[in-house]
Amino acid sequence: MWRPPANFLFCLCLILPLHSGVVWADAEDGDPSAARHLLLTGKYAEAADAYRALAAQEPIASAVGLSRCLVSRGDREGADALLLKVLESRPPAAEILAERAGLAFERGDYEAAASQVTDALKADRDSLPARWWQAELHRVAGRLDEAEAAYKWFVDYYNDQDEFSAEDLYWIGQAAGQFARWRRLSSQFSFLVNELYPDALKQDVDYWPARYASGLLFLEKYNEPQATRELKAALAVNPNAAEVHAALAALALHDYRLDEAGRHLDRAEETNPRLLLARQLRADLHLTNFRAPAAIEVLEAARELNPVDEETLGRLAAAYAVVDGISADNEPSLRVAKIIDDVNQRNPHAGTFYYTLGATLDLARRFPAAARFYREALDRMPQLTVTRGALGLMYLRLGEEAEAKRLLDESFEVDPFNVRVANSVKVLEVLDGYAVLETEHFVLKFDRGQDELLARYAGRYLEEDVYPTLVKRFGFEPRDKSLFEIFSRARNSDAHTWFSARMVGLPYVSTVGACAGKVVALTSPRELAKKFNWARVLKHEFVHVLNLQQTDFNVPHWFTEALAVDVEDHARPPEWNALLVARVPKGELFNLDTINFGFVRPRSADDWQMAYCQAQLYAHYMLRTYGDDALAKMLAAYSENLDTRAALQRSFGVEQEAFEEAYVLSLKQLVAELSPPQAEDRLTFDAAQKRAAALAGDAASAQELAAACEAVAKLAPHDVRWIKLLARLYLQNGDNERLLAVLKKLAHNDPDNLLVRKKLAQMALTADDFVEAERWARDASQTDLWDAESHRLWGQALAGQKKYAAAIEELEVALRLDSDNAPARDALASVRRLAEKPAP
């Protein structure tokens, strides 16, 4: 997920137009306002011509305007040469010197920038751009007290003056924003977006930099609707504003709309191929696409534009760390260490660098390492308010809730407008009222009034069934207890909203359960209209807990999903089979380079389902082809920080291309099995369903139709429709033996089917097969824990095995859920009598 840069307002420093009034005429030679209008609206070639025409009568305005036209198209060298030529031909002008200071700063030549700033302030002590670059030079050198004083100068200047141009207000807004962050003046952000920047627009209705600056402020606070509105309004004025396209790319990256982000970056780089922000976000796009080597290539090229920019270097160090391997405890690789050492020598308070390093590792899902560098950023530069919130959110993700609460409360006090921080503070307030159930290996938090029953059963299931089974299967045991949190409705928000806010700080996670490596959150199944097997979800998510920790968060999303789906031990869903039949012949498949996108940014619900389907089939193909230890070998390779290509080579001695080719062939073979040849005289499902509907009470005809359906079902064993129809026919003609077999198939194909499981439990009780009855009744309760009949069946199955204490517990639960359940009451009385009898 994209994070706002630590010093985000710096992005817009060299494209600002000159002072002018509100109204201008149509473009005419010699008209400064017309030239400026052309520049503001993105007509850079026409603006350059207009500024050239001004050279004789307005040499300074002409030079600055023309230089900005050049910078907007990426020609900084030409812009600087032009400005220098003007300086050589006339007395020093603050406007020219400040413009050159900005150019030097952006290319990382801080010595030259400082010299230009000094000269500019000699020419005009109130030069706002020169004052801004002076403040920024203090910041990047680690002179934080001097930087803060320099930012405050703008606040005092604003309070002492009465009239300002749009550009004046822009520079003041830049500095006031920084001062407000550093001094924890949160109300100033409201002032900036509601008064100061709107005042700039009153001065000049087309002054799009004011809308851009407002958009970045909203983006910093994760207020996406307002950020979108402001940025699109800026783009409406200047459709060629490369900076605005880059900001819209950042907004799209935040929501994993990667194609949209790519289009905006293409547009930004088409206008300005040397825009540093665009290159940084291009690297973020590659990292979001799980392509760290491509990100490194982009960032190395970005260093040519500015070799000392801390946001570039932070990203580059993170990309190196992803490729080289990094953990929360170990020393970084030589490449990462060299960047860190170089940055520290230049700036002992390089908070922006460390924040960016942490945020980029966060983006790459290296969460413990991200926390490590967020902490370093906070220690070195506590003025960065964004870091405290980011670290708090990371601690929350890692289950360190006490520390997360401290940091998030501090962050919220400093900046109550950050949506993710505000939501997370509310989540922690809700969790603070939850009850806690602690077992040997788990901590469960839950709403006692809503989910005490679920917590009790979930804790027992996790401890007795899930933990020993999966720890043995994966050969790994977590160092600490795993935290599971069950969210219910609270404060007029539903359970799923709280679950989503717990995981990402925003209300739109599409699943009912999620894992961050050490924490699992779950939407209470009691509050969802569609029931789901909560035990299956807990087991699935604990696989992620193990896989992420045992590989130090290096396991790819698709591989841990494959393993998690596989341990559920259910048949491939009919929806997946339908997708395979539809997509494999067309070649509409994910491959190992793209499958992660199906999880983090599916274009449709079908894409999301297809990603899960293909992930499991990748794992099955590995097992069939390379043996029972194939998946363990891949996990071991990932734990050594190998990527998938290298893991395949290490584990199986196969190149990824050859592996993919054979895998696709296996999919085609599977589709052939799923699509048996149709015979003209074969019974169709629609015809069979119509005949079944007309057979009420006709057992003989039902038996005849069942025989015909059996023949078809053998040809299409993956078509669950026939299994369901056969169950109906066997029930109708009283064929319990065959009914039992098809119900078991249905249960295997549908893990959330409550009625099938209850029927299987009842049939097993009738046959005095109490072990089997216990299995199905327990499964039924795991589908709907609040179904009294499931507990009644479970209790009777336990009683049949003379497990009287456990039987009494289940029957008491059944009666608490339904006090009028006479069979449960009778069974409870009977079991209590049996339990009281002395042993013979």
Side-chain angles (χ1 to χ4, degrees), residues 2-124:
W2 177 81
R3 300 286 187 268
N7 190 38
F8 70 101
L9 283 178
F10 169 60
C11 305
L12 183 70
C13 56
L14 293 178
I15 48 77
L16 298 173
L18 295 173
H19 298 229
S20 88
V22 179
V23 182
W24 46 75
D26 293 336
E28 296 177 0
D29 290 348
D31 185 348
S33 62
R36 180 174 179 276
H37 172 58
L38 290 169
L39 176 59
L40 271 175
T41 54
K43 300 178 178 67
Y44 300 129
E46 296 94 324
D49 289 341
Y51 278 119
R52 289 189 188 97
L54 284 171
Q57 66 188 71
E58 297 280 355
I60 294 176
S62 170
V64 173
L66 184 54
S67 73
R68 287 175 174 176
C69 292
L70 295 172
V71 168
S72 296
R73 301 303 298 267
D75 186 3
R76 291 178 181 170
E77 290 79 6
D80 195 45
L82 171 71
L83 295 169
L84 178 59
K85 185 176 181 179
V86 173
L87 278 177
E88 291 173 343
S89 63
R90 59 180 298 106
E95 296 94 327
I96 301 290
L97 292 163
E99 205 75 14
R100 292 198 72 213
L103 286 168
F105 188 95
E106 282 216 328
R107 66 175 180 265
D109 188 348
Y110 297 152
E111 184 177 352
S115 175
Q116 299 292 338
V117 163
T118 299
D119 290 345
L121 292 177
K122 286 179 181 177
D124 179 3

Side-chain angles (χ1 to χ4, degrees), residues 614-684:
Q614 280 196 242
Q616 186 184 39
L617 290 173
Y618 270 122
H620 287 180
Y621 173 74
M622 289 178 185
L623 290 170
R624 287 196 312 271
T625 308
Y626 301 109
D628 293 341
D629 62 347
L631 303 181
K633 287 181 177 179
M634 289 291 287
L635 272 176
Y638 288 130
S639 69
E640 295 179 23
N641 201 58
L642 299 182
D643 61 15
T644 295
R645 177 176 292 277
L648 289 171
Q649 182 60 243
R650 164 78 65 82
S651 302
F652 314 131
V654 63
E655 294 297 329
Q656 183 172 320
E657 290 77 13
F659 177 89
E660 296 273 30
E661 185 177 350
Y663 164 76
V664 171
L665 180 60
S666 74
L667 293 186
K668 292 178 179 178
Q669 293 169 344
L670 174 58
V671 167
E673 297 173 12
L674 295 173
S675 308
Q678 293 281 351
E680 290 185 7
D681 59 346
R682 196 179 104 177
L683 181 66
T684 67

Side-chain angles (χ1 to χ4, degrees), residues 531-563:
K531 300 301 179 184
F532 66 90
N533 189 307
W534 53 266
R536 178 170 61 101
V537 174
L538 295 180
K539 191 175 186 180
H540 180 112
E541 298 302 335
F542 190 61
V543 172
H544 297 328
V545 171
L546 296 175
N547 294 164
L548 287 166
Q549 292 188 40
Q550 72 187 121
T551 63
D552 204 12
F553 288 75
N554 189 55
V555 64
H557 199 139
W558 73 268
F559 192 68
T560 186
E561 292 293 358
L563 299 178

Side-chain angles (χ1 to χ4, degrees), residues 338-604:
K338 185 178 187 311
I339 293 176
I340 290 175
D341 290 344
D342 289 346
V343 170
N344 288 341
Q345 287 180 16
R346 280 190 299 272
N347 182 1
H349 299 288
T352 298
F353 166 77
Y354 283 103
Y355 167 80
T356 306
L357 174 51
T360 308
L361 288 169
D362 191 348
L363 179 68
R365 301 172 64 85
R366 300 302 199 275
F367 301 139
R372 167 185 178 179
F373 291 107
Y374 281 147
R375 286 193 298 270
E376 186 75 16
L378 193 58
D379 290 342
R380 288 179 178 267
M381 193 176 178
Q383 290 90 339
L384 287 181
T385 56
V386 66
T387 308
R388 182 171 279 98
L391 181 57
L393 291 167
M394 182 54 64
Y395 279 145
L396 189 59
R397 180 182 290 271
L398 294 174
E400 299 179 33
E401 292 183 347
E403 187 64 10
K405 179 173 174 53
R406 181 183 70 81
L407 287 165
L408 290 171
D409 283 345
E410 291 176 3
S411 181
F412 181 73
E413 184 177 354
V414 169
D415 182 8
F417 300 104
N418 187 307
V419 174
R420 294 184 74 221
V421 168
N423 286 341
S424 297
V425 168
K426 293 174 185 175
V427 167
L428 285 168
E429 290 172 353
V430 168
L431 284 171
D432 192 49
Y434 274 10
V436 177
L437 173 65
E438 192 163 352
T439 69
E440 183 180 357
H441 300 106
F442 298 93
V443 176
L444 290 90
K445 294 187 176 183
F446 58 95
D447 182 336
R448 188 181 296 280
Q450 296 294 320
D451 287 311
E452 184 172 7
L453 186 67
L454 175 59
R456 177 153 57 92
Y457 278 82
R460 184 186 304 166
Y461 174 68
L462 285 167
E463 197 64 65
E464 296 176 1
D465 293 347
V466 171
Y467 192 89
T469 302
L470 295 186
V471 163
K472 180 179 179 181
R473 179 166 181 163
F474 291 104
F476 177 80
E477 189 169 8
R479 180 177 61 185
D480 304 315
K481 291 185 178 183
S482 300
L483 177 60
F484 280 66
E485 296 175 342
I486 305 166
F487 286 90
S488 300
R489 172 174 289 276
R491 302 184 179 185
N492 297 318
S493 294
D494 61 31
H496 194 264
T497 297
W498 288 113
F499 154 75
S500 299
R502 172 61 177 87
M503 296 312 298
V504 298
L506 298 168
Y508 49 75
V509 175
S510 59
T511 60
V512 295
C515 171
K518 296 183 179 180
V519 178
V520 171
L522 179 74
T523 301
S524 174
R526 190 173 190 180
E527 295 198 13
L528 298 177
K530 184 177 180 180
K531 300 301 179 184
F532 66 90
N533 189 307
W534 53 266
R536 178 170 61 101
V537 174
L538 295 180
K539 191 175 186 180
H540 180 112
E541 298 302 335
F542 190 61
V543 172
H544 297 328
V545 171
L546 296 175
N547 294 164
L548 287 166
Q549 292 188 40
Q550 72 187 121
T551 63
D552 204 12
F553 288 75
N554 189 55
V555 64
H557 199 139
W558 73 268
F559 192 68
T560 186
E561 292 293 358
L563 299 178
V565 169
D566 210 44
V567 303
E568 294 177 27
D569 195 27
H570 288 288
R572 194 168 49 251
E575 297 84 358
W576 293 9
N577 289 333
L579 285 170
L580 289 168
V581 169
R583 291 191 171 197
V584 171
K586 299 177 183 177
E588 296 176 351
L589 299 170
F590 293 112
N591 58 38
L592 290 174
D593 291 329
T594 61
I595 189 170
N596 285 320
F597 306 153
F599 297 105
V600 299
R601 59 160 181 111
R603 296 178 180 176
S604 65

